[in-house]
Amino acid sequence: GNGDGKSRLRISNASLPLYDIDFDSNIHLQLTVNANGEVVAAKSIKSKTTCSDQRIINQVVNEVIRQVKYKKENGADLIYTFYTVKILAK
């Protein structure tokens, strides 16, 4: 797909549960968004992500795919954009 994701407007964010984690962490994701504004794929950017618990990363990825939406853009190619989730220590 083409695009840099800069022209697409995010219309919803992920609402995540509290995770049992000992230190504040960031999970950096690269999202693939289709013309309907749906996130069709998400992957963790390992070089920037500070969470080491793969189970939490997988849960965050699944919730982001399910919940995050972007403005529709009829006929648009797939675009790639970035999304960061901050997880606070309990």
Side-chain angles (χ1 to χ4, degrees), residues 14-72:
S15 176
L16 300 169
L18 295 176
Y19 293 101
D20 187 13
I21 193 167
D22 293 331
F23 55 90
D24 292 353
S25 298
N26 289 317
I27 299 176
H28 293 266
L29 302 174
Q30 178 183 349
L31 309 182
T32 305
V33 181
N34 68 14
N36 288 328
E38 301 164 330
V39 177
V40 294
K43 66 179 182 178
S44 170
I45 302 170
K46 293 186 188 310
S47 63
K48 292 185 175 185
T49 294
T50 59
C51 178
S52 59
D53 188 329
Q54 191 61 48
R55 292 172 304 162
I56 292 175
I57 294 170
N58 292 343
Q59 289 174 0
V60 168
V61 165
N62 289 333
E63 289 304 312
V64 166
I65 290 172
R66 193 172 67 80
Q67 296 181 37
V68 174
K69 302 290 183 221
Y70 285 78
K71 185 177 176 190
K72 289 183 182 182

